[in-house]
Structures are given as C-alpha cells and as structure tokens.
Amino acid sequence: MTDETLPKPNYTGRVVDAQLQLLDRQVLDDTGKPVCVVDDIEVAGIELGQRMLRDAPAPTIDALLSGPVFLTRVFGGRPPTSRLFRIPWAKVRNLGTAIELSVGSESLDASWTERWTRDHVIGRIPGARHDPE
Amino acid sequence: MILSDVLKNDVFDADGSRLGRVIDVRFEIVGAAKSAPAKTILRGLVVSPRSGSSFLGYERNEVNAPFLIAWLLNRRHRGAFFVEWSEVSSIDRGTVALRRNFTRYSVLT
C-alpha cells in the first residue's frame, strides 16, 4: 500500500515499531498478572539537542516507562519524567499481544499504588484478608 | 531521551524543507532469540508527509483488506518513507533534521 519503488532496508532481526507494537501495550509480570501499560520508552545513547555522528552506535531501548498520563493525554503536555516508573528492558521476556516480564510485579515500582491500596484500604475491610468460605 | 521527544516531530531535510512528521520509530531486535529481546536497537524513523496519525499496521506488509480502510490509509500516508537512524543529524524539541542526500526507504518490513 506504500511506495513500492523505494528500496527496502536490510533487516536481520525482528522489527518492532514502537507506536504499533510497544506503546499502550499491557505489561504482564512473570505470573501473567497485569502490571501497567507502556506509556513511553526510554532510549539510551542520545540526548535531545545533541548532534548525531553518522557512524555513532545505534541507540538502544533502555526501559519501558509507565505513569500518570491520563490528564496529559486529554489536556496536552506530558508528565515530568520523574513521575514515570521505569521497567528495565532487560526484564522483558517476550513481546507479543502483551509484553511479558521475567519478574514479579511485587518487585516493580510501577505497581506500588496497587500494593498500597491493598495493604492500607482493602486489607482493613473485615474479611478481606482471607479467601471467601 | 524518551520516545515522545521524537514521535510527531516535524522532519526537515538539510536545506530546511519540511518533509513530514515522524509517525513511528522502528526498532530491531538483534543478537537474541526472537522471543527474548535482549538488545533492541533503534533502526530509524517512519515519516509521513501528510498525516501524523498511525498506519494501523498496514505499512508492515502488503495487506490491502478491508479495501476501504487500506485505500483510506494509502491516501493519507502517500509518500511515506523510512529513514535510517544514521541519516538523522539532530533531534530537537519538535523537530528532526536529516542529513544531506539521505536515502528514502520503503516503510514495508
């Protein structure tokens, strides 16, 4: 559907388009439990405003970022980088319909609000700390 | 740098002519099994001259159905191209500058 007169680049590995296959994808921990969605991606090896050398090594994905982006998506702008939680790329196990991690959600900063709500709110409701009988 | 510093940026050539907008950033998984993305390098940018919206995946192969959606996306993204990362000379807030005599590649993978 695109201009077929242009040459195709020579890819040797699996090609991943960020907008299409990474952003807004559900992130699952090693047990399949939902952790967050990918709101942004941190790329190592380049800085904004820096002039790039032609033979410099290609930048690599450093981390997936997740955070409070709802309001900025509605009203514009973006949250400060310090408000985004990082999930190191090395902890990604598989890229599919969802992004699977090799670690549990308990070890990730991205799920602290769920843990806090569980411990301080849900856990204080009588009967909430055991399975229903 | 984070990806939203690049996405939707206006792209200019070495003479300052506007070429379009960055509609996607393409990565390639290298040096690992296909399911274990140990190292993922930035290969380049997908640039569309007319629209900042997504291709919805239609650029990945020669899918042309449903016909109406394929036709509409084809119209919106005609002239779209892929440019290798090595052809990018600088990225600033809202803009991407390309090198002189850069090569346009097909967005097909």
Side-chain angles (χ1 to χ4, degrees):
Chain A
M1 66 168 287
T2 54
D3 191 346
E4 292 175 8
T5 60
L6 296 176
K8 278 190 190 179
N10 184 25
Y11 300 112
T12 52
R14 178 180 166 192
V15 174
V16 178
D17 283 346
Q19 188 93 293
L20 188 67
Q21 291 165 290
L22 293 175
L23 294 176
D24 290 332
R25 289 287 170 126
Q26 179 79 60
V27 178
L28 306 175
D29 75 356
D30 60 346
T31 61
K33 190 174 151 191
V35 179
C36 59
V37 293
V38 180
D39 294 315
D40 217 323
I41 294 168
E42 189 176 280
V43 180
I46 35 171
E47 293 299 327
L48 210 60
Q50 168 194 343
R51 275 200 85 72
M52 258 78 77
L53 300 172
R54 188 187 286 270
D55 52 357
T60 54
I61 296 185
D62 209 23
L64 304 175
L65 303 174
S66 181
V69 298
F70 172 71
L71 289 177
T72 54
R73 284 195 179 176
V74 174
F75 297 109
R78 71 171 196 221
T81 312
S82 59
R83 299 292 310 277
L84 297 171
F85 301 108
R86 293 177 82 253
I87 299 174
W89 185 249
K91 291 182 176 172
V92 173
R93 184 176 62 189
N94 187 31
L95 292 179
T97 316
I99 296 173
E100 295 167 27
L101 303 178
S102 58
V103 294
S105 61
E106 298 282 324
S107 65
L108 299 168
D109 289 342
S111 59
W112 79 266
T113 47
E114 277 192 28
R115 290 200 300 275
W116 188 92
T117 310
R118 180 193 65 197
D119 296 342
H120 293 86
V121 181
I122 306 295
R124 292 185 181 183
I125 298 172
R129 287 184 180 270
H130 59 80
D131 288 337
E133 294 172 4
Chain B
M1 189 191 77
I2 62 175
L3 217 58
S4 50
D5 289 333
V6 184
L7 285 169
K8 305 277 171 73
N9 280 15
D10 287 321
V11 180
F12 296 91
D13 66 9
D15 298 322
S17 305
R18 186 179 178 280
L19 302 171
R21 269 184 165 186
V22 177
I23 60 165
D24 216 332
V25 178
R26 185 163 287 173
F27 294 93
E28 185 177 1
I29 299 170
V30 292
K34 286 188 177 181
S35 61
K39 187 180 180 190
T40 306
I41 61 166
L42 202 166
R43 273 302 299 262
L45 309 175
V46 180
V47 180
S48 177
R50 292 179 175 80
S51 174
S53 63
S54 168
F55 259 115
L56 304 179
Y58 274 79
E59 83 281 18
R60 303 299 302 269
N61 46 45
E62 284 150 356
V63 172
N64 55 9
F67 169 77
L68 198 60
I69 295 175
W71 176 82
L72 188 68
L73 288 169
N74 196 20
R75 289 274 304 166
R76 284 175 68 80
H77 291 290
R78 60 191 186 278
F81 61 93
F82 172 78
V83 60
E84 292 271 8
W85 179 253
S86 58
E87 303 284 4
V88 175
S89 66
S90 68
I91 292 181
D92 227 320
R93 200 160 294 283
T95 62
V96 173
L98 303 182
R99 297 184 199 284
R100 194 169 297 282
N101 300 326
F102 72 92
T103 306
R104 292 176 192 239
Y105 287 100
S106 169
V107 294
L108 295 172
T109 56

